[in-house]
Amino acid sequence: MVIDKEEFKVDYIEKLQNMFAEDAVDASRLHQYVALGALIKDYCSKSWIETNKQYGKSKTKQVYYFSMEFLVGRLLNSNLVNLGIKDVCEEAFADLGISWIDIEDIELDAGLGNGGLGRLAACFLDSMASTKVPGHGCGIRYKYGLFKQKIEDGYQVEVPDNWLKNGNVWEIRKENKAVEVRFYGEVYLKEENGETKVIHENYQSVRAVPYDTPIKGYKNNTVNTLRLWSAETMEEDFDFSSFSQGNYAKAGEEKYSVEAISQVLYPDDSYEKGRLLRLKQEYFFVSAGMQSIMKSYKKMNISLSEFHKHVAVQINDTHPAVAVAELMRLLMDEQGLTWDEAFTITTGTMAYTNHTIMAEALEKWPVEMFKKLLPRIYMIIEEINRRFCNEVYHKYNGDWNKVNKMSIIHDEYIRMAYLAIVGSHSVNGVAKLHTELLKHQELADFYEFFPEKFNNKTNGITHRRWLLNSNEELADLITETIGDKWIKSPNELNKLMDYAEDAAFQEKTQDIKTNNKITFSNYILSNYGTEIDPSSIFDVHVKRMHAYKRQLLNVFNIMHLYNQLRENPNLDIVPRTFIFGAKASPSYTLAKETIKLINTLAKKINNDPIARDKIKIVFLENYGVSIAEKIIPCADVSQQISTASKEASGTGNMKFMMNGAITIATLDGANVEIFDAVGKENIVLFGLTSQEVIEYYKNRNYRASDIYNSDMRLNCIVNQLVNGFLETDKMEFMTIYDSLIPHNDEFFVLKDFDSYVRAQSEIDSLFRQKSIWQKMSITNIAKSGIFSSDNTINQYAKEIWDTPTFRIKL
Ligand code: 26Q
């Protein structure tokens, strides 16, 4: 939009007056922020109305991205940038004497996600709006996001994340769009005038109320919608008789149990299965979302048989997989279609993205629990399964073994991934390697049965948030150098290849990195009291804490360096700052012990004069989107060291690359594609390949204890975990020790150690060669455009959704 500074000031002052009866300088920072948010929302509202109108009127195909998680982070900055008024706003604030930094920091992160999967959903929203794809998000408005992490005495302590405590300026509650979601009860079939009717009785009703957030495209007129559902009691369900008898606790019980549904996001815990509340959450938002889609569809007056030509539903992992059965229910029970008609439409509409190959993480629900909570949905799944098993039986000439292996319902559990595959027309993995592993290992039976459904969509990240907004200096330099086309067409970044060996450009990119590192060092000093050296290598390992991501391998290399320094304090290494950030699932003991280990080691090393000037360890508390935006632009080294075959894609790897960090990586997930893009000169690889890992699992011929007994570096390190060296209780790190020795090191930490240590010393030697390092860094930035989620969304739109882009005219 076009607005000048003076007009903006008038609007803003008026907003503050109207909302709070205050003027700009006297208002609290919170009020200053809230008024700015409200003004931005006003600026979006005309385009928002037009977007909805024009989508409806044109009947263009719309996509709904169903996800239990949207890890949005903050929206102030990206909304201003996408509106094209960031500079105007900053200048106006300077005139008004309002500190911009302070205002930005008022906004609390919308942390409605665990990690990669949730952040991917948020990147996709930005890219759909920015590339003019008619696509919306559908999820849950959790009252509390992922827990806040505090570190106390080196341990992770979880604190509730009350992100709504100051309200949420971006959302609008849509009372009139509320729908009813039904749980429990009994279902039976009844013949009426020769028709079979489904009767559902004695159910519990929950009111689903949507809160809509505008998703503004970058400098275009598209404003899509993120619709998050909140669970409330139906008014008529309030227990007035208990209330009037003075039994307030009982009167409130129902309310409490219903509101629990959208109370809190579950942490990623593949360890605890069968939690009823999680299943309620899944069905709650899926049913609300599908009902609201059906309502808007009916308004367009198109025959139901065309539904899948106007609606696409993408399900983000299996968490929303009940959508398959819910759409069947709506089409048959509420719209009167036959099974066959409904099934054609359902599979034509639904598409499923798989984000993991770890068998223990595949979602399964106990039949007993499921059919009690969702009796009608269970009947439908049973029938989908009966028909599917029948097909498998016939295709494989009565091979019951095959039927058993592929059955959606098996061993008293419902396998949600299988339901998602059978009920969709598309199944995609999130990186080339991952998709190949799905096709040929984990889901090989299904690939054989439905080869046409399987496809790859390598993940991506929005380069607007992860470069343009979070690394402004670098973004400005890029624009100065190759023009600003890259912002709308990220592949243009490739033009930077012409400057990879340009000494002046190398110096400029290096200076920017140094400036970013200085800013960050100051932040660390004031927030953690730790002094770090901005000229040291910033070696960054930030992501969820998980054994397969192998933070432990990084720690072992640090312990090895430390042991060497203790023997030879003059050891010639480039000073390095090892930066970690990670949340562990609250019930994941091994992960929590690893956090304690990092903090214990940090305390020891950071205070030891022998090591202090050579290695430092920083553990960033409460790692999340906003901290990622701070740390990624400062990284020299990006740690992407998962056990090959385990990381479906990774997206942090792409963010670091885009900001000029050099990746130290295994050939896993999208690292493989980063390697293909930059070439072997511009990435540092190490470790077992996925095929080697898979062979070891298959042949069961890996012996961790052989390595422990023969490699004296490792022998020493592993012993140090349990011999008092770390000055803690000797049992403190026993779970880690046990995972390696008695439990035979499932993730090949010991096996890959030697090759990792070599890779790390290669990093050391490359970093000393400034011009080579800078060339590598620039190459990474130049090649990162292909990992923009604009490209990913373009592929989803063309190959899965069949949604043309749609220009909103004002
Ligand atoms: C399951 C059951 C109960 C409670 C929670 C969960 C749960 C929640 C979140 C299970 C998994 C998740 C999140 C998974 C995730 O983030 N996967 C990552 O997805 C990224 C985007 O595709 C990939 O880049 C990563 O490789 C993958 O690990």
Side-chain angles (χ1 to χ4, degrees):
M1 68 180 280
V2 207
I3 187 166
D4 73 20
K5 186 178 74 178
E6 295 308 320
E7 289 172 291
F8 179 86
K9 279 200 299 202
V10 171
D11 288 354
Y12 181 65
I13 288 167
E14 192 178 297
K15 195 92 229 170
L16 262 172
Q17 272 173 7
N18 292 344
M19 290 185 83
F20 302 111
E22 286 169 342
D23 57 28
V25 255
D26 293 338
S28 66
R29 284 189 302 171
L30 179 61
H31 285 178
Q32 290 169 339
Y33 160 77
V34 171
L36 177 58
L39 183 59
I40 292 171
K41 214 163 52 184
D42 289 353
Y43 289 157
C44 291
S45 59
K46 188 167 169 227
S47 305
W48 200 7
I49 295 171
E50 276 307 312
T51 301
N52 286 327
K53 262 198 199 151
Q54 293 176 29
Y55 286 168
K57 203 163 155 221
S58 67
K59 305 182 171 143
T60 189
K61 189 168 184 183
Q62 298 182 63
V63 184
Y64 298 87
Y65 197 83
F66 274 52
S67 178
M68 286 286 276
E69 309 195 355
F70 286 92
L71 188 43
V72 170
R74 292 173 174 167
L75 281 176
L76 178 60
N77 197 51
S78 64
N79 279 337
L80 284 170
V81 170
N82 289 3
L83 274 164
I85 59 168
K86 172 83 190 289
D87 293 341
V88 166
C89 173
E90 270 184 335
E91 287 161 23
F93 271 46
D95 280 6
L96 295 170
I98 304 174
S99 149
W100 180 245
I101 299 285
D102 288 352
I103 294 294
E104 262 194 313
D105 280 339
I106 295 281
E107 183 172 6
L108 298 176
D109 273 38
L112 310 185
N114 272 283
L117 167 150
R119 183 54 234 175
L120 184 75
C123 282
F124 281 4
L125 293 179
D126 181 76
S127 283
M128 288 193 289
S130 294
T131 61
K132 309 190 190 97
V133 170
H136 314 283
C138 177
I140 298 176
R141 181 181 181 269
Y142 300 105
K143 191 158 173 213
Y144 296 92
L146 185 65
F147 65 85
K148 241 167 80 178
Q149 179 192 57
K150 289 240 146 74
I151 300 295
E152 286 176 13
D153 187 26
Y155 296 102
Q156 165 175 299
V157 175
E158 300 92 21
V159 183
D161 165 44
N162 191 3
W163 72 292
L164 290 169
K165 69 169 174 247
N166 297 328
N168 173 5
V169 288
W170 308 116
E171 68 186 10
I172 297 177
R173 180 182 162 96
K174 293 276 162 95
E175 197 68 49
N176 60 335
K177 301 258 165 84
V179 299
E180 179 191 327
V181 177
R182 298 177 174 180
F183 293 103
Y184 301 106
E186 293 95 45
V187 175
Y188 58 92
L189 305 179
K190 197 171 142 191
E191 296 292 328
E192 236 178 49
N193 315 328
E195 269 182 55
T196 317
K197 279 229 140 73
V198 178
I199 310 292
H200 190 180
E201 287 177 344
N202 301 323
Y203 49 81
Q204 180 198 41
S205 289
V206 173
R207 209 161 93 91
V209 184
Y211 286 71
D212 287 357
T213 299
I215 305 294
K216 173 83 187 72
Y218 178 77
K219 294 189 180 171
N220 64 25
N221 299 325
T222 300
V223 181
N224 291 333
T225 300
L226 169 60
R227 174 162 285 183
L228 300 178
W229 297 91
S230 178
E232 300 185 2
T233 34
M234 308 291 285
E235 197 140 318
E236 61 271 23
D237 281 355
F238 189 78
D239 186 352
F240 283 103
S241 79
S242 296
F243 187 84
S244 62
Q245 287 160 28
N247 194 346
Y248 300 138
K250 184 158 184 299
E253 259 169 32
E254 164 89 3
K255 183 171 150 68
Y256 181 82
S257 96
V258 165
E259 286 172 3
I261 295 173
S262 54
Q263 193 73 4
V264 57
L265 165 75
Y266 270 106
D268 159 15
D269 246 323
S270 25
Y271 296 85
E272 282 179 49
K273 284 250 146 67
R275 277 173 301 193
L276 179 65
L277 184 58
R278 169 90 181 176
L279 181 58
K280 281 190 188 171
Q281 291 185 330
E282 295 185 356
Y283 182 67
F284 166 73
F285 94 94
V286 161
S287 175
M290 292 309 305
Q291 289 184 58
S292 100
I293 292 170
M294 186 58 82
K295 277 192 185 172
S296 5
Y297 185 78
K298 299 285 284 185
K299 274 197 201 143
M300 294 194 294
N301 262 317
I302 320 171
S303 149
L304 272 174
S305 62
E306 308 265 287
F307 189 84
H308 51 298
K309 297 185 183 147
H310 300 271
V311 175
V313 172
Q314 189 71 35
I315 55 177
N316 199 19
D317 217 302
T318 55
H319 317 152
V322 282
V324 168
E326 177 66 1
L327 182 53
M328 290 295 288
R329 184 186 74 79
L330 291 172
L331 291 169
M332 296 186 303
D333 302 0
E334 304 204 344
Q335 304 297 333
L337 266 52
T338 65
W339 180 279
D340 290 327
E341 289 165 340
F343 199 69
T344 303
I345 294 168
T346 298
T347 51
T349 304
M350 311 293 308
Y352 156 57
T353 304
N354 173 292
H355 298 263
T356 183
I357 38 173
M358 307 242 281
E360 71 271 21
L362 290 177
E363 222 181 355
K364 294 196 286 185
W365 290 107
V367 166
E368 272 316 304
M369 181 175 125
F370 195 102
K371 78 171 168 207
K372 200 165 155 222
L373 184 71
L374 305 170
R376 176 60 182 149
I377 295 298
Y378 181 71
M379 281 170 77
I380 293 170
I381 293 176
E382 248 186 342
E383 182 61 14
I384 294 175
N385 191 42
R386 193 188 65 77
R387 290 170 184 242
F388 173 63
C389 287
N390 203 15
E391 281 179 47
V392 174
Y393 181 84
H394 284 105
K395 173 158 178 173
Y396 294 103
N397 306 317
D399 180 350
W400 278 107
N401 187 29
K402 199 78 171 178
V403 175
N404 258 316
K405 268 167 71 187
M406 298 180 73
S407 177
I408 297 169
I409 301 169
H410 178 76
D411 220 4
E412 291 303 307
Y413 278 92
I414 309 174
R415 303 192 275 207
M416 300 307 276
Y418 296 2
L419 173 64
I421 298 169
V422 174
S424 301
H425 66 280
S426 165
V427 178
N428 76 281
V430 289
K432 283 180 191 161
L433 173 65
H434 170 58
T435 302
E436 287 310 302
L437 293 174
L438 289 180
K439 282 170 17 182
H440 302 295
Q441 317 260 345
E442 308 303 315
L443 300 177
D445 290 326
F446 286 88
Y447 178 55
E448 191 178 283
F449 196 85
F450 299 119
E452 71 291 348
K453 292 192 183 186
F454 283 73
N455 65 92
N456 175 248
K457 294 288 166 283
T458 299
N459 283 165
I461 56 169
T462 165
H463 60 290
R464 284 168 294 273
R465 179 176 292 262
W466 297 107
L467 173 55
L468 180 67
N469 300 348
S470 58
N471 198 345
E472 283 181 32
E473 269 197 74
L474 181 59
D476 288 346
L477 174 65
I478 294 171
T479 299
E480 253 169 54
T481 313
I482 60 167
D484 66 0
K485 284 214 190 94
W486 65 275
I487 303 173
K488 289 211 170 189
S489 312
N491 294 6
E492 291 270 314
L493 286 172
N494 198 39
K495 291 197 172 141
L496 292 172
M497 282 311 289
D498 294 345
Y499 300 86
E501 291 179 89
D502 178 317
F505 191 74
Q506 288 187 351
E507 199 179 314
K508 285 183 195 157
T509 51
Q510 195 188 332
D511 287 349
I512 290 169
K513 183 71 78 183
T514 305
N515 282 341
N516 293 341
K517 286 163 76 177
I518 293 170
T519 310
F520 189 75
S521 304
N522 294 334
Y523 165 84
I524 291 295
L525 186 62
S526 56
N527 285 272
Y528 300 89
T530 312
E531 210 172 313
I532 56 178
D533 172 9
S535 69
S536 64
I537 299 177
F538 278 24
D539 181 323
V540 187
H541 202 166
V542 288
K543 46 183 83 254
R544 285 301 290 268
M545 182 62 68
H546 217 294
Y548 84 81
K549 296 181 186 279
R550 296 201 296 191
Q551 282 91 352
L552 194 59
L553 181 56
N554 186 352
V555 169
F556 278 12
N557 176 59
I558 302 172
M559 290 176 77
H560 170 56
L561 285 175
Y562 183 46
N563 288 337
Q564 284 178 291
L565 275 170
R566 290 177 347 117
E567 279 192 6
N568 171 17
N570 295 322
L571 186 74
D572 181 24
I573 55 172
V574 181
R576 234 196 251 224
T577 305
F578 292 95
I579 300 168
F580 291 88
K583 288 181 183 175
S585 252
S587 65
Y588 191 175
T589 314
L590 181 67
K592 288 188 133 176
E593 236 173 59
T594 309
I595 290 177
K596 173 67 175 170
L597 175 61
I598 295 168
N599 287 311
T600 306
L601 206 58
K603 195 164 142 203
K604 191 167 173 74
I605 291 180
N606 297 354
N607 292 308
D608 184 342
I610 287 181
R612 198 155 59 185
D613 298 328
K614 298 263 169 69
I615 41 184
K616 271 267 157 68
I617 302 176
V618 175
F619 188 91
L620 300 171
E621 201 173 48
N622 199 36
Y623 178 69
V625 176
S626 287
I627 295 179
E629 286 165 9
K630 285 197 170 65
I631 183 64
I632 292 171
C634 309
D636 297 303
V637 176
S638 157
Q639 297 255 9
Q640 308 300 336
I641 63 174
S642 53
T643 309
S645 80
K646 297 289 176 184
E647 189 70 271
S649 161
T651 42
N653 46 4
M654 303 167 183
K655 296 167 196 164
F656 281 101
M657 162 197 203
M658 193 172 269
N659 283 273
I662 307 307
T663 314
I664 180 165
T666 48
L667 278 173
D668 198 16
N671 298 349
V672 178
E673 288 156 76
I674 293 179
F675 165 67
D676 289 342
V678 300
K680 65 178 187 317
E681 255 81 76
N682 299 300
I683 185 168
V684 177
L685 296 175
F686 75 96
L688 294 173
T689 62
S690 54
Q691 281 318 313
E692 287 168 338
V693 167
I694 289 163
E695 282 296 305
Y696 273 121
Y697 285 137
K698 202 155 61 195
N699 302 327
R700 301 166 175 272
N701 57 350
Y702 172 53
R703 303 264 173 282
S705 57
D706 289 353
I707 302 180
Y708 168 71
N709 289 323
S710 61
D711 186 329
M712 285 307 113
R713 301 166 302 179
L714 274 173
N715 191 275
C716 172
I717 292 165
V718 174
N719 291 344
Q720 283 171 336
L721 295 177
V722 290
N723 68 8
F725 172 79
L726 294 167
E727 298 160 63
T728 56
D729 187 304
K730 287 189 181 170
M731 295 303 285
E732 189 79 73
F733 303 116
M734 204 46 103
T735 311
I736 300 179
Y737 179 90
D738 285 347
S739 76
L740 297 173
I741 308 303
H743 297 150
N744 200 34
D745 185 18
E746 186 183 350
F747 298 104
F748 300 92
V749 174
L750 304 191
K751 179 76 188 167
D752 275 348
F753 175 78
D754 180 63
S755 127
Y756 182 64
V757 169
R758 286 168 204 266
Q760 280 291 23
S761 75
E762 193 184 334
I763 294 268
D764 182 290
S765 90
L766 287 166
F767 192 80
R768 293 167 196 255
Q769 307 167 58
K770 283 292 158 215
S771 158
I772 292 183
W773 185 270
Q774 259 351 90
K775 178 184 163 216
M776 293 172 76
S777 170
I778 295 164
T779 306
N780 272 272
I781 302 167
K783 297 292 179 189
S784 69
I786 56 170
F787 297 107
S788 166
S789 43
D790 288 6
N791 288 322
T792 315
I793 283 300
N794 185 266
Q795 289 161 16
Y796 274 88
K798 289 208 164 82
E799 296 163 22
I800 300 180
W801 304 330
D802 194 22
T803 40
T805 57
F806 189 96
R807 203 164 68 87
I808 303 297
K809 295 169 211 81
L810 286 190

